[in-house]
Amino acid sequence: MAKVQTVTGEVDCRQLGRVLMHEHVFVINHEYQVNYPETWDDDERTADAVNKLVALKSAGIDTIVDLTVLGLGRDIRRVRAVAEKSPVTIIAATGFYTFADLPTYLRVRGPGRMFGGEEPLVGMFVKDITEGIAGTGIRAGILKCVTDAPGVTPDIERILRAVARAHLITGVPISTHTDALAERGLDQQKIFAEEGVDLGAVVIGHSGDTDDLDYLQRLIDAGSYLGMDRFGLDGIMTFEKRVATVAALVRRGYASRMVLSHDTSCHTQNVPDDYRAKNWPNWQFQHIVDDVVPALLNAGVAPRDIETMLVDNPREIFTAG
Ligand SMILES: [Zn+2]
């Protein structure tokens, strides 16, 4: 009986229910917040997050994977405060989010760096997974890394290889951020394969940002899951195209290789609330249940395929770990 670590403890993988595989509770810039504390109120933010997750549970979603890692402002105590009152189960992640460079304290450590020593990232990630994050005992259930437009810079390569090694040590799955138009998923698969990772343990994230079926087919052929995980970010790709791409891949027989999500958050400091409300009204947790699922059904996707993407695939991804 496979178990997965969540913010509120260990759960049987079969109990995860319907899962959104790439979301965020809080995206925070700590340095900004420490220096401009008026930009954050803990009680208000916690209450607001709990309200949003209560509504999400009523809409039929049981679990979210919070892929907020270092670089996005992971703050596990704040997530715990939400998780303790949330009817939606939350899975925490470890890893590093950056498009090109690590921060100085990591850039100067590790093999070939100014102060040398072992690669610190592997130990950081493994500790988060096996002992828990920041002394809370809350263990990360998934690993996260990024390859965006700048490609595999030296620091990005360090992170990808450290994530691969932490995966091989712990067995927890890997989920990524990519620039899909630059086909960065293929770069990630190459490095993971070199490290000996089974690509079936990898979700290539933001794959839904492209409708290039040849590229998506290559990712699937190599064995990975596709994160069709930015529903609601209609400025990057329209709702209609996102739905049509998932439907096309289901017709090819790949419901078993896709997961659905929004990449949204209870609150992010990076996007002004008024901008978000005005320009990205669909970028919220219930968009998939309210709009995407009906549109997929309308496009000929069977209810069984929807359950495969929301229930079976997430369960399989965590069970393999
Ligand atoms: Zn994200």
Side-chain angles (χ1 to χ4, degrees):
M1 197 167 37
K3 303 279 192 188
V4 56
Q5 300 300 322
T6 81
V7 175
T8 42
E10 200 172 68
V11 168
D12 185 326
C13 287
R14 292 171 304 185
Q15 244 101 67
L16 293 174
R18 292 176 137 205
V19 185
L20 300 179
M21 283 292 288
H22 188 137
E23 306 291 350
H24 301 272
V25 178
F26 298 132
V27 176
I28 302 168
N29 185 318
H30 284 104
E31 190 174 24
Y32 171 66
Q33 193 207 308
V34 164
N35 288 284
Y36 303 96
E38 66 279 9
T39 58
W40 187 276
D41 179 317
D42 252 330
D43 293 340
E44 185 188 321
R45 293 268 67 96
T46 302
D48 176 68
V50 170
N51 285 341
K52 285 172 176 157
L53 295 174
V54 166
L56 184 61
K57 180 74 177 186
S58 313
I61 298 293
D62 305 295
T63 302
I64 61 170
V65 180
D66 180 4
L67 288 177
T68 311
V69 293
L70 275 76
L72 281 173
R74 188 182 67 184
D75 190 333
I76 200 67
R77 290 181 179 83
R78 285 179 172 148
V79 177
R80 179 174 61 189
V82 173
E84 282 169 347
K85 293 181 187 156
S86 163
V88 170
T89 301
I90 302 171
I91 295 173
T94 186
F96 211 104
Y97 178 95
T98 178
F99 284 8
D101 297 317
L102 284 163
T104 304
Y105 69 93
L106 286 163
R107 227 170 32 230
V108 295
R109 289 170 170 80
R113 304 292 168 135
M114 188 187 295
F115 302 121
E118 285 181 7
E119 173 53 68
L121 293 168
V122 178
M124 289 162 60
F125 301 159
V126 170
K127 181 168 186 267
D128 285 351
I129 294 164
T130 58
E131 289 177 34
I133 300 166
T136 60
I138 295 170
R139 291 160 62 186
I142 194 162
L143 283 148
K144 158 95 174 274
C145 54
V146 170
T147 317
D148 204 86
V152 183
T153 66
D155 281 353
I156 293 297
E157 182 169 355
R158 274 181 72 181
I159 298 166
L160 293 181
R161 293 194 188 280
V163 159
R165 286 166 200 174
H167 160 76
L168 292 174
I169 292 166
T170 63
V172 306
I174 298 170
S175 185
T176 76
H177 163 117
T178 62
D179 182 326
L181 293 176
E183 305 196 344
R184 294 300 182 217
L186 296 170
D187 300 334
Q188 292 178 337
Q189 286 184 324
K190 180 170 173 288
I191 288 176
F192 292 151
E194 283 171 10
E195 292 288 335
V197 172
D198 173 354
L199 295 178
V202 179
V203 181
I204 301 294
H206 308 341
S207 293
D209 284 351
T210 181
D211 58 356
D212 179 349
L213 293 179
D214 293 339
Y215 165 66
L216 297 174
Q217 180 75 53
R218 288 169 74 191
L219 295 174
I220 289 174
D221 288 345
S224 297
Y225 288 90
L226 303 184
M228 311 308 270
D229 53 17
R230 278 183 152 179
F231 278 103
L233 282 174
D234 300 334
I236 296 175
M237 198 159 85
T238 64
F239 171 75
E240 289 75 16
K241 279 190 179 176
R242 288 183 187 278
V243 167
T245 304
V246 172
L249 289 169
V250 169
R251 277 196 300 278
R252 288 189 183 186
Y254 297 126
S256 63
R257 305 316 293 171
M258 290 184 281
V259 293
L260 307 178
S261 212
H262 308 93
D263 195 15
T264 191
S265 53
C266 295
H267 185 75
T268 171
Q269 283 189 319
N270 293 345
V271 184
D273 282 340
D274 53 347
Y275 182 94
R276 181 172 167 164
K278 184 157 173 269
N279 297 285
W280 304 334
N282 290 329
W283 199 44
Q284 46 87 15
F285 288 123
Q286 278 154 253
H287 179 46
I288 285 177
V289 172
D290 289 348
D291 308 309
V292 176
V293 168
L296 286 171
L297 294 171
N298 216 18
V301 174
R304 179 62 248 173
D305 292 325
I306 306 280
E307 292 305 291
T308 298
M309 292 186 279
L310 287 175
V311 180
D312 300 351
N313 297 344
R315 186 190 62 234
E316 290 301 317
I317 289 164
F318 286 109
T319 299

